[in-house]
Amino acid sequence: MLSQAIVRPPATTFAQGITTAKLGRPDVDLALLQHEEYCQALEQCGLDLIRLRANPNFPDSTFVEDTAIVTETCALLTRPGAPSRMGEVNGIASILGQFYPELTIMKAGTLDGGDVCQAEEHFFIGLSARTNERGAQQLVGWLQENGFTASCVDIRGLPELLHLKTGLSYLGDNRLVLHEALAGHEAFKGFEQIVPQPEEAYAANCIRVNDHVLLPTGYPQLETTLQKRGYTVITLDMSEFRKMDGGLSCLSLRF
Ligand code: GLY
């Protein structure tokens, strides 16, 4: 069971963050509202929230997931692949240190948490524009030391996926939701695979939080598919975060 989540609201500088989405400038007030609804949904799923202050020095800092890898037993601070985001890690270290007495700090390479998807004791690691081989290899080593297994999935030829989790979610029950560009990849053999229709591809970034699945609003086919599988779905409007290449998973560190 997950019990905590770290969240940070978007700052006044949010619109100055990195994006490739071409969906227009985000409305910061609306993003704040959507963020609050996201926080309330996590609380509804039983999580206690650690709410950090907005940090205008880092426009992308609401996407806290990229700064760390957190498991039930251990945590690692990453080295985000975008130079403008590297400093975000400092603001997370002291908080995570309160929960994890031995916090590992990555020493080399780059790695964004958005490229790391945990499926029980196994981790999928995306090699992307943000996560390089050196960073991924360090993570593999650290995971193995801590009793986990890992496999790498190269998404560098898939510009529609900023991060691996842009197109991949693990729902528990040996079940993945994955973008059609990832369907059939040998790393995912043995899992049940739910592939959203191309027009619903954004919803491949959804999150299982205890007894619920959080899904972006506006993807009825996937919502019905998940409900038929027995999930209780909470939908959340993510329009302003999508404009900044963000999704549901990026907005929290859950442990
Ligand atoms: N705007 C999110 C990111 O580029 O990391």
Side-chain angles (χ1 to χ4, degrees):
M1 284 286 279
L2 295 167
S3 60
Q4 320 267 351
I6 298 173
V7 291
R8 189 192 286 285
T12 47
T13 54
F14 180 53
Q16 293 161 33
I18 310 166
T19 184
T20 57
K22 299 193 177 69
L23 293 171
R25 191 180 167 82
D27 175 333
V28 179
D29 289 336
L30 183 53
L32 280 166
L33 209 69
Q34 292 177 351
H35 191 268
E36 181 52 36
E37 285 171 358
Y38 176 83
C39 291
Q40 287 175 13
L42 291 181
E43 287 175 333
Q44 190 184 332
C45 296
L47 302 195
D48 289 331
L49 298 191
I50 300 122
R51 293 174 181 253
L52 306 182
R53 283 212 195 109
N55 186 345
N57 295 325
F58 294 100
D60 283 305
S61 57
T62 190
F63 301 121
V64 287
E65 183 185 55
D66 290 316
T67 60
I69 308 304
V70 288
T71 77
E72 259 184 46
T73 50
C74 53
L76 170 139
L77 293 168
T78 65
R79 289 170 53 85
S84 66
R85 302 199 57 193
M86 277 243 168
E88 290 176 26
V89 174
N90 300 331
I92 297 291
S94 58
I95 308 299
L96 277 182
Q98 294 169 23
F99 295 93
Y100 296 93
E102 279 183 43
L103 201 52
T104 305
I105 301 171
M106 273 186 76
K107 295 279 185 301
T110 63
L111 183 124
D112 278 14
D115 278 317
V116 181
C117 180
Q118 181 172 7
E120 310 301 342
E121 305 306 305
H122 187 77
F123 284 73
F124 300 109
I125 305 169
L127 293 168
S128 71
R130 299 289 176 85
T131 295
N132 63 21
E133 263 128 5
R134 208 158 167 212
Q137 280 319 313
Q138 262 195 75
L139 179 60
V140 170
W142 178 78
L143 287 169
Q144 287 173 346
E145 280 164 25
N146 285 284
F148 297 102
T149 56
S151 53
C152 291
V153 179
D154 193 342
I155 60 163
R156 287 171 291 193
L158 302 173
E160 62 272 49
L161 303 182
L162 169 66
H163 289 127
L164 180 63
K165 275 192 289 197
T166 308
L168 178 69
S169 308
Y170 179 64
L171 297 184
D173 318 308
N174 200 47
R175 188 173 284 148
L176 298 167
V177 178
L178 72 181
H179 190 287
E180 64 171 354
L182 297 174
H185 191 292
E186 72 174 82
F188 308 124
K189 256 192 204 154
F191 288 87
E192 183 192 339
Q193 302 187 12
I194 298 173
V195 181
Q197 293 300 308
E199 67 274 18
E200 296 205 352
Y202 177 72
N205 181 265
C206 50
I207 47 175
R208 170 88 185 259
V209 186
N210 296 335
D211 294 334
H212 292 78
V213 174
L214 273 48
L215 191 71
T217 302
Y219 302 94
Q221 296 176 82
L222 183 58
E223 187 177 348
T224 303
T225 301
L226 296 181
Q227 285 166 338
K228 281 188 183 153
R229 298 286 201 289
Y231 296 108
T232 305
V233 176
I234 300 174
T235 59
L236 291 164
D237 191 351
M238 293 296 292
S239 65
E240 304 316 291
F241 297 101
R242 188 177 183 184
K243 289 175 182 171
M244 301 307 292
D245 286 343
L248 287 164
S249 67
C250 335
L251 289 179
S252 58
L253 278 164
R254 303 164 298 280
F255 53 100

PDB file of all heavy atoms in Angstrom, residues 18 60 63 66 85 130 162-163 244-245, ligand 1:
ATOM      1  N   ILE A  18       9.976  23.729 -19.872  1.00  0.00           N
ATOM      2  CA  ILE A  18      10.297  23.097 -21.159  1.00  0.00           C
ATOM      3  C   ILE A  18       9.027  22.452 -21.723  1.00  0.00           C
ATOM      4  O   ILE A  18       8.314  21.753 -21.002  1.00  0.00           O
ATOM      5  CB  ILE A  18      11.329  21.969 -20.966  1.00  0.00           C
ATOM      6  CG1 ILE A  18      12.510  22.461 -20.154  1.00  0.00           C
ATOM      7  CG2 ILE A  18      11.781  21.419 -22.303  1.00  0.00           C
ATOM      8  CD1 ILE A  18      13.383  21.324 -19.640  1.00  0.00           C
ATOM      9  N   ASP A  60       9.811  23.941 -14.028  1.00  0.00           N
ATOM     10  CA  ASP A  60       9.293  22.568 -14.176  1.00  0.00           C
ATOM     11  C   ASP A  60       9.217  21.814 -12.847  1.00  0.00           C
ATOM     12  O   ASP A  60       8.970  20.598 -12.847  1.00  0.00           O
ATOM     13  CB  ASP A  60      10.188  21.778 -15.148  1.00  0.00           C
ATOM     14  CG  ASP A  60       9.918  22.148 -16.600  1.00  0.00           C
ATOM     15  OD1 ASP A  60       8.750  22.063 -17.018  1.00  0.00           O
ATOM     16  OD2 ASP A  60      10.865  22.546 -17.301  1.00  0.00           O
ATOM     17  N   PHE A  63       6.879  19.006 -11.474  1.00  0.00           N
ATOM     18  CA  PHE A  63       7.001  17.613 -11.938  1.00  0.00           C
ATOM     19  C   PHE A  63       8.011  16.875 -11.053  1.00  0.00           C
ATOM     20  O   PHE A  63       9.077  16.436 -11.495  1.00  0.00           O
ATOM     21  CB  PHE A  63       7.392  17.588 -13.414  1.00  0.00           C
ATOM     22  CG  PHE A  63       6.397  18.290 -14.303  1.00  0.00           C
ATOM     23  CD1 PHE A  63       6.767  19.370 -15.091  1.00  0.00           C
ATOM     24  CD2 PHE A  63       5.066  17.881 -14.333  1.00  0.00           C
ATOM     25  CE1 PHE A  63       5.840  20.026 -15.897  1.00  0.00           C
ATOM     26  CE2 PHE A  63       4.125  18.538 -15.134  1.00  0.00           C
ATOM     27  CZ  PHE A  63       4.528  19.606 -15.920  1.00  0.00           C
ATOM     28  N   ASP A  66      10.449  13.479 -11.372  1.00  0.00           N
ATOM     29  CA  ASP A  66      11.714  13.310 -12.096  1.00  0.00           C
ATOM     30  C   ASP A  66      12.945  13.377 -11.196  1.00  0.00           C
ATOM     31  O   ASP A  66      14.038  13.034 -11.634  1.00  0.00           O
ATOM     32  CB  ASP A  66      11.815  14.378 -13.203  1.00  0.00           C
ATOM     33  CG  ASP A  66      10.818  14.105 -14.305  1.00  0.00           C
ATOM     34  OD1 ASP A  66      10.692  12.931 -14.699  1.00  0.00           O
ATOM     35  OD2 ASP A  66      10.137  15.053 -14.744  1.00  0.00           O
ATOM     36  N   ARG A  85      16.800  21.686 -15.054  1.00  0.00           N
ATOM     37  CA  ARG A  85      16.069  20.968 -14.007  1.00  0.00           C
ATOM     38  C   ARG A  85      16.978  20.317 -12.966  1.00  0.00           C
ATOM     39  O   ARG A  85      16.499  19.828 -11.950  1.00  0.00           O
ATOM     40  CB  ARG A  85      15.136  19.914 -14.643  1.00  0.00           C
ATOM     41  CG  ARG A  85      14.138  20.518 -15.619  1.00  0.00           C
ATOM     42  CD  ARG A  85      12.976  19.593 -15.875  1.00  0.00           C
ATOM     43  NE  ARG A  85      12.303  19.246 -14.632  1.00  0.00           N
ATOM     44  CZ  ARG A  85      11.422  18.277 -14.490  1.00  0.00           C
ATOM     45  NH1 ARG A  85      11.102  17.543 -15.533  1.00  0.00           N
ATOM     46  NH2 ARG A  85      10.859  18.027 -13.326  1.00  0.00           N
ATOM     47  N   ARG A 130      16.308  12.318 -22.035  1.00  0.00           N
ATOM     48  CA  ARG A 130      16.639  12.764 -20.671  1.00  0.00           C
ATOM     49  C   ARG A 130      17.496  11.752 -19.897  1.00  0.00           C
ATOM     50  O   ARG A 130      18.250  12.124 -19.007  1.00  0.00           O
ATOM     51  CB  ARG A 130      15.349  13.010 -19.884  1.00  0.00           C
ATOM     52  CG  ARG A 130      14.450  14.071 -20.462  1.00  0.00           C
ATOM     53  CD  ARG A 130      15.046  15.457 -20.277  1.00  0.00           C
ATOM     54  NE  ARG A 130      14.224  16.469 -20.907  1.00  0.00           N
ATOM     55  CZ  ARG A 130      13.176  17.038 -20.331  1.00  0.00           C
ATOM     56  NH1 ARG A 130      12.842  16.705 -19.113  1.00  0.00           N
ATOM     57  NH2 ARG A 130      12.485  17.950 -20.975  1.00  0.00           N
ATOM     58  N   LEU A 162       8.131  11.704 -24.346  1.00  0.00           N
ATOM     59  CA  LEU A 162       9.206  12.436 -23.656  1.00  0.00           C
ATOM     60  C   LEU A 162       9.910  11.491 -22.693  1.00  0.00           C
ATOM     61  O   LEU A 162      11.132  11.410 -22.649  1.00  0.00           O
ATOM     62  CB  LEU A 162       8.625  13.631 -22.882  1.00  0.00           C
ATOM     63  CG  LEU A 162       9.593  14.329 -21.917  1.00  0.00           C
ATOM     64  CD1 LEU A 162      10.732  14.992 -22.671  1.00  0.00           C
ATOM     65  CD2 LEU A 162       8.859  15.344 -21.042  1.00  0.00           C
ATOM     66  N   HIS A 163       9.119  10.811 -21.905  1.00  0.00           N
ATOM     67  CA  HIS A 163       9.617   9.845 -20.922  1.00  0.00           C
ATOM     68  C   HIS A 163       8.976   8.484 -21.192  1.00  0.00           C
ATOM     69  O   HIS A 163       7.907   8.411 -21.811  1.00  0.00           O
ATOM     70  CB  HIS A 163       9.221  10.275 -19.505  1.00  0.00           C
ATOM     71  CG  HIS A 163       9.949  11.467 -18.983  1.00  0.00           C
ATOM     72  ND1 HIS A 163       9.285  12.570 -18.481  1.00  0.00           N
ATOM     73  CD2 HIS A 163      11.269  11.724 -18.859  1.00  0.00           C
ATOM     74  CE1 HIS A 163      10.182  13.457 -18.071  1.00  0.00           C
ATOM     75  NE2 HIS A 163      11.391  12.976 -18.293  1.00  0.00           N
ATOM     76  N   MET A 244       2.574  21.476 -20.947  1.00  0.00           N
ATOM     77  CA  MET A 244       3.998  21.517 -20.571  1.00  0.00           C
ATOM     78  C   MET A 244       4.600  20.111 -20.577  1.00  0.00           C
ATOM     79  O   MET A 244       5.549  19.822 -19.842  1.00  0.00           O
ATOM     80  CB  MET A 244       4.157  22.160 -19.194  1.00  0.00           C
ATOM     81  CG  MET A 244       3.608  23.577 -19.103  1.00  0.00           C
ATOM     82  SD  MET A 244       4.250  24.702 -20.376  1.00  0.00           S
ATOM     83  CE  MET A 244       5.958  24.825 -19.890  1.00  0.00           C
ATOM     84  N   ASP A 245       4.045  19.239 -21.404  1.00  0.00           N
ATOM     85  CA  ASP A 245       4.554  17.867 -21.543  1.00  0.00           C
ATOM     86  C   ASP A 245       4.417  17.055 -20.260  1.00  0.00           C
ATOM     87  O   ASP A 245       5.173  16.096 -20.047  1.00  0.00           O
ATOM     88  CB  ASP A 245       6.037  17.842 -21.957  1.00  0.00           C
ATOM     89  CG  ASP A 245       6.254  18.222 -23.412  1.00  0.00           C
ATOM     90  OD1 ASP A 245       5.277  18.201 -24.178  1.00  0.00           O
ATOM     91  OD2 ASP A 245       7.409  18.536 -23.771  1.00  0.00           O
TER      92      ASP A 245
HETATM   93  N1  GLY B   1       8.102  20.133 -18.835  1.00  0.00           N
HETATM   94  C1  GLY B   1       8.492  18.913 -18.303  1.00  0.00           C
HETATM   95  C2  GLY B   1       9.843  18.524 -18.709  1.00  0.00           C
HETATM   96  O1  GLY B   1      10.221  18.900 -19.785  1.00  0.00           O
HETATM   97  O2  GLY B   1      10.588  17.881 -18.034  1.00  0.00           O
END
